[in-house]
Amino acid sequence: MNTAKAAEAKMKSNDFLTLLDYSPAEINQLLQEAIILKDKKLQNDSALPLKGKVLGMIFEKSSTRTRVSFETGMLQLGGHALYLNSNDLQIGRGETVADTAKVLSRYVDGIMIRTFSHKMVEELAENADIPVINGLTDKYHPCQAIADLLTIVEKKGELKGLQLTYIGDGNNVAHSLMVACAKMGMEFSIAAPEGYHPDKDVVSLCEEIASQTGGKITITTDPVSAATGADILYTDVWTSMGQEAENAKRIEVFQDYQINEDLVQYAKEDFLFMHCLPAHRGEEVSAGVMDGSHSVVFDQAENRLHAQKALLVQLLG
Ligand code: CP
Ligand code: NVA
């Protein structure tokens, strides 16, 4: 096997960079393991499958949920997590990604990374001998998507056939959700202003996957048509990390894309409101919907812990 092929094969079996590399059966298995681990936690079961294992966590962007859920998850599984701010690593002073991957592989058992460039994470994974987990890039946020699927299964009892409507920016969270929905045979609709639609390459991959799973992808500029009949209404910030300079313009462009009391009337009566958090009440969501009876945002946040523990056991165990 040549190096490129070997790297590709390794990425598929050992890394978690996007859900594109996971089959529906593998996603289901991960969800089942998460449910078992969550249940064990509730029963205070003290099995320590990652005793002595260390996860290195590289952060080039801020985080509350990802950092705390991975660190807590490792501790609960018997292991340890190291918080590595990229500014404090030599990578911030020009050491190559490849060299960093090779060195960290000699010390720790897995790497979780949150950064800007998805290509950088792929390069890290290609050069590391240990599993690499994507904790968010500009392109994808698969850890969020797996926790979101877990939350939907818990609340709705199934995934296939459900309609998830995303209102807002076609960003990293939207991309990973679209992949997750396509894989699981769900309908994914997104309403976003012209110029803020999801990337075409991700859309065409998802359309191809959906054609095999019975899912459906709809892309529109009209929030009302997208929200009509939805089982789940989902949104994320209008300005993602790294886009701060565009904030004023984005607030203007996205004005008609708020999930609020008017828009939710078009969804099913028992719709769920979901948000990956952090949220900006009064921007992408009204305070009433965010804190209302349909909102499951804090269950979603909790499920980051359980879903990632399943992932950690699978990759590092
Ligand atoms: N949803 C999410 O990834 O949150 P953090 O940015 O706080 O990690
Ligand atoms: N789209 C957001 C998600 C934060 C969890 C961002 O990238 O900032």
Side-chain angles (χ1 to χ4, degrees), residues 61 114 136 141 171-173 236-237 239-241 276-278:
K61 291 177 173 175
R114 165 167 289 198
L136 180 146
H141 195 2
N171 61 16
N172 44 11
V173 168
D236 182 19
V237 291
T239 303
S240 284
M241 290 181 279
C276 59
L277 306 183

Side-chain angles (χ1 to χ4, degrees), residues 4 37 145 153 181 273:
L37 280 167
V153 168
C181 290
F273 170 70

Side-chain angles (χ1 to χ4, degrees), residues 33-35 37-38 41-42 65-77 143-144 146-148 150-151 298-313:
E33 280 166 17
I35 289 167
L37 280 167
K38 185 170 180 175
K41 167 88 174 66
L42 292 175
R65 282 143 287 269
T66 305
R67 177 178 175 180
V68 178
S69 58
F70 267 107
E71 192 161 336
T72 305
M74 280 303 289
L75 194 74
Q76 289 179 357
L77 294 166
C143 292
Q144 183 66 51
I146 197 80
D148 295 341
L150 177 60
T151 311
F298 298 112
D299 295 320
Q300 263 180 281
E302 177 185 336
N303 280 336
R304 291 291 303 276
L305 173 68
H306 307 298
Q308 287 160 196
K309 280 171 73 180
L311 188 65
L312 288 166
V313 172

Side-chain angles (χ1 to χ4, degrees), residues 36-248:
I36 293 167
L37 280 167
K38 185 170 180 175
D39 208 41
K40 273 191 184 167
K41 167 88 174 66
L42 292 175
Q43 292 165 21
N44 243 338
D45 189 303
S46 61
L48 302 175
L50 297 188
K51 196 164 193 288
K53 303 268 178 167
V54 178
L55 179 73
M57 307 191 300
I58 303 175
F59 282 92
E60 263 193 296
K61 291 177 173 175
S62 307
S63 170
T64 297
R65 282 143 287 269
T66 305
R67 177 178 175 180
V68 178
S69 58
F70 267 107
E71 192 161 336
T72 305
M74 280 303 289
L75 194 74
Q76 289 179 357
L77 294 166
H80 183 75
L82 292 173
Y83 174 74
L84 306 167
N85 187 308
S86 60
N87 290 327
D88 301 331
L89 294 174
Q90 294 289 8
I91 206 168
R93 298 180 60 252
E95 184 165 21
T96 68
V97 172
D99 287 354
T100 305
K102 286 171 188 158
V103 171
L104 289 180
S105 299
R106 303 290 176 107
Y107 300 134
V108 299
D109 303 284
I111 302 170
M112 194 284 297
I113 177 160
R114 165 167 289 198
T115 189
F116 295 88
S117 152
H118 192 74
K119 285 213 165 353
M120 190 266 219
V121 177
E122 287 176 343
E123 193 185 343
L124 190 80
E126 277 163 29
N127 287 282
D129 299 324
I130 52 177
V132 172
I133 298 171
N134 176 3
L136 180 146
T137 61
D138 288 346
K139 185 104 173 176
Y140 292 111
H141 195 2
C143 292
Q144 183 66 51
I146 197 80
D148 295 341
L149 290 181
L150 177 60
T151 311
I152 298 168
V153 168
E154 284 178 345
K155 305 288 176 193
K156 296 280 181 195
E158 61 182 347
L159 294 172
K160 202 169 171 63
L162 292 179
Q163 182 191 328
L164 187 153
T165 293
Y166 180 103
I167 309 282
D169 190 21
N171 61 16
N172 44 11
V173 168
H175 285 157
S176 282
L177 267 178
M178 187 171 20
V179 174
C181 290
K183 289 268 177 182
M184 304 319 282
M186 297 168 69
E187 285 188 33
F188 178 87
S189 301
I190 175 167
E194 213 60 75
Y196 296 88
H197 285 187
D199 292 356
K200 287 200 167 65
D201 61 326
V202 184
V203 174
S204 52
L205 282 170
C206 287
E207 283 172 341
E208 199 184 313
I209 297 164
S211 72
Q212 291 157 16
T213 61
K216 193 177 161 199
I217 309 294
T218 306
I219 297 173
T220 174
T221 52
D222 179 11
V224 169
S225 75
T228 301
D231 295 288
I232 299 135
L233 291 177
Y234 198 119
T235 191
D236 182 19
V237 291
W238 292 338
T239 303
S240 284
M241 290 181 279
Q243 299 172 332
E244 289 77 8
E246 299 171 28
N247 191 40

